[in-house]
Amino acid sequence: MVQHVMNAPPATVLPTESIEDAAQYMADAGVGALPVVNGDAVIGIVTDRDLVVRAMARRLPSHTPVETIMSRTPATVEADTAVAVAVVKMRAAEVRHLPVVAEGRLIGMISFDDLFWRLTQELADLAAVVDAARKIPGTFHGTRKAPLLDG
């Protein structure tokens, strides 16, 4: 589940705050994206790429409000979503960060790197089970069932 991998509480920014403040929040929190919030509701997202491409490249003043460059109505993911499903959602939306919500309220943030790390851990755990099962004589040679798979 995404809730076990997400970063909480998430660093956030208000739509009226400056792009300079957003950049500082990202630097302080060590993140590449900030949900833009109105109360607990996610109304947008601003990424480090937005700051470069939509702000710096256009030479916007540092006091420009975040709402000027944010992506509106970003893709989000529910806290009880499976990690693999969140990866698919990120790929479909072509994003690397997803705000995590529960009943419409922002409760965390997840990045592609977080999800990739979790899937890597799960694959390593699975490989360890397979490796252990291979050490049991006859497990994968049709002479007897794997003990972990017996019903």
Side-chain angles (χ1 to χ4, degrees):
M1 300 293 177
V2 168
Q3 63 193 4
H4 302 299
V5 187
M6 71 181 184
N7 296 301
T12 63
V13 66
L14 299 172
T16 55
E17 291 185 272
S18 72
I19 57 177
E20 180 177 23
D21 287 340
Q24 189 62 59
Y25 296 161
M26 283 184 203
D28 291 347
V31 298
L34 295 171
V36 182
V37 296
N38 181 6
D40 285 339
V42 179
I43 61 168
I45 193 166
V46 63
T47 67
D48 47 9
R49 188 176 193 299
D50 294 331
L51 291 171
V52 172
V53 174
R54 295 181 180 174
M56 291 177 63
R58 293 176 24 204
R59 301 187 198 284
L60 295 179
S62 62
H63 63 273
T64 300
V66 166
E67 63 192 344
T68 305
I69 66 163
M70 72 180 189
S71 296
R72 298 177 188 281
T73 60
T76 61
V77 65
E78 292 288 330
D80 60 354
T81 301
V83 169
V85 172
V87 170
V88 170
K89 189 164 191 172
M90 275 187 185
R91 291 193 58 154
E94 297 181 348
V95 297
R96 295 186 54 84
H97 304 89
L98 289 175
V100 180
V101 297
E103 299 177 7
R105 286 184 320 105
L106 176 67
I107 62 166
M109 194 70 172
I110 194 88
S111 72
F112 179 81
D113 292 345
D114 298 327
L115 297 176
F116 182 76
W117 177 248
R118 178 59 178 243
L119 289 172
T120 300
Q121 289 176 318
E122 289 177 5
L123 287 172
D125 292 345
L126 180 59
V129 169
V130 170
D131 187 51
R134 284 188 174 147
K135 293 177 181 173
I136 300 170
T139 301
F140 290 109
H141 302 290
T143 58
R144 68 178 220 217
K145 290 183 177 179
L148 296 175
L149 301 177
D150 287 345

